[in-house]
Amino acid sequence: MDKIFIEGGRTLKGSIRISGAKNAALPLMAATILAPGQHVLHNVPDLRDTRTMLVLLESFGITWQRREKDNALLIDATNLDNIEASYDLVKTMRASVLVLGPLLARMGQARVSLPGGCAIGARPIDFHMQGLGRLGVELSLEQGYVEGKIDGRLQGSDVNFDIPSVTGTENILMAATLAEGVTTIKNAAREPEIGNLVDMLINMGARIEGKGTDRLVVHGVNELRSAEARVIPDRIETGTYLIAVGATGGELTLTDCDPTHLASLIDKLREVGLDIEEGVDHLWVARHGALKSVDIKTMPYPGFPTDLQAQIMALMSISQGLSVITETIFENRFMHVAELARMGADIRIDGKSSIVKGRSGLSGAQVMATDLRASASLVIAALAAEGETEISRVYHLDRGYDNLAGKLNNVGARIRRVKE
Ligand code: EPZ
């Protein structure tokens, strides 16, 4: 497992291009299962998770290639000769559950390994199964696999989510496009990645109303066709770099991003004391003065994203004052607290909240990445810390950040990666 070594205390200055969003690319790739022919996906980031999704699609008989001229991902889903998503693949990426709805809609059957938990929580898929059950699917759990089948087409119905589940909404949305009749999804998640999926499905011939709202109405069609789609910019990658400037000082221009997807973070960072200017597809951020501690409460979109909670905690560790950070989405998303404490952060966990007492500075240390966004939090802390920090298990970072070290080194950071 590789390690990275970060020399702290260097300010960031320059420009970073934001890659396509991991959490948009994965459902778009799964959606190709719904229609034969060659789909063309633009701006798909090259990540561990998107590579895992390609292996999963290949295991169904789907073929793909990267187009030389524009690096577009061409996915041909004409031949589907397998409907099983194996444990070996699913255990490395829970988003594999996104193939369940499309396989059932196109093939009438699916066998997908239960994803199993991860560092941040149990990550159940009961909402996915309840929703598919409402669409007429017979589901059973056999040896750790979800087995689903239906004779004929899925049947449109009302699906009501207790919690606005992101991938739950995406799974039911994809399944409903080929169902007979109308499906209404209530309390749907409103993340921008779902809007990206709605646009692609409509390009494929689906009939969907309510994009961007918590109520999606899908009029089922008999078949869909292959289509082109473009992955939206990664709002979590963008937010990670905005927060990094807060930690190191300096200034960055972030290009090919969408500031409208980050309103809650931008408001908070302005409260902290960062200067942020928004363009149509770029952001400029600078830190000149002291950092002010603010309280954070993660919420479903458009609230403060849980995927930026660990990162802003690193920033609050070196801000002036007390910050109460409350995590309302996942039950165990404070794994980064113990690692930040090794660098001198003063954080006390109290149930769903962490109380962060800002310190003047952190010191470099040996720390371990525990999950994707926790590892980004450690990178931010290391950039600001005194001395060198060694972060192990950086494969977590590779899952969701396209060349993070390279992009940061291009704007003044000193990060080196060592193969173990
Ligand atoms: C998506 O996960 C994202 N992943 C996560 O990003 C993100 O943190 C999360 O949404 C919340 O915004 C992808 O899009 C691939 P949920 P998802 O269903 O869909 C509970 C990252 O770092 N729940 O919205 O799995 C669940 O336990 C990842 O990029 C059920 O109880 O999250 C959680 O408490 C991490 N039963 C809450 O709902 C279910 O069937 C929200 O989860 C489904 C979810």
Side-chain angles (χ1 to χ4, degrees), residues 282-332:
H282 70 275
L283 277 162
W284 176 83
V285 56
R287 172 196 144 190
H288 300 308
L291 297 168
K292 182 175 160 297
S293 292
V294 295
D295 292 342
I296 299 288
K297 183 175 183 182
T298 65
M299 294 296 281
Y301 192 87
F304 191 94
T306 174
D307 291 350
L308 286 170
Q309 178 257 104
Q311 296 92 316
I312 202 154
M313 186 184 286
L315 184 64
M316 291 298 100
S317 304
I318 54 172
S319 301
Q320 290 180 355
L322 265 185
S323 160
V324 178
I325 298 180
T326 304
E327 172 57 57
T328 71
I329 308 292
F330 290 109
E331 68 270 24
N332 187 38

Side-chain angles (χ1 to χ4, degrees), residues 20 22 45 47-49 234 236-237 372-373 395-402:
K22 166 178 86 80
L47 305 168
R48 207 152 159 265
D49 276 7
D234 194 317
I236 304 304
E237 182 192 14
L372 168 56
R373 306 303 174 181
Y395 61 86
H396 287 294
L397 264 182
D398 300 338
R399 295 193 50 184
Y401 287 94
D402 183 2

Side-chain angles (χ1 to χ4, degrees), residues 28-42 62-65 67 72-78 106 200-201 203-204 224-229:
L28 297 193
M29 292 166 79
T32 63
I33 294 169
L34 291 165
Q38 186 175 84
H39 303 258
V40 182
L41 299 184
H42 299 277
I62 289 172
T63 57
W64 62 274
Q65 58 178 313
R67 188 160 61 188
L73 188 57
L74 311 182
I75 298 179
D76 190 323
T78 305
R106 168 110 180 257
M200 175 175 172
L201 292 171
N203 278 357
M204 292 170 67
L224 295 172
R225 57 182 181 270
S226 57
E228 284 210 53

Side-chain angles (χ1 to χ4, degrees), residues 22-23 94 123-127 165-167 307 329 373:
K22 166 178 86 80
N23 292 347
R94 2 177 12 273
R123 313 294 294 277
I125 60 166
D126 50 327
F127 300 161
S165 163
V166 174
T167 50
D307 291 350
I329 308 292
R373 306 303 174 181

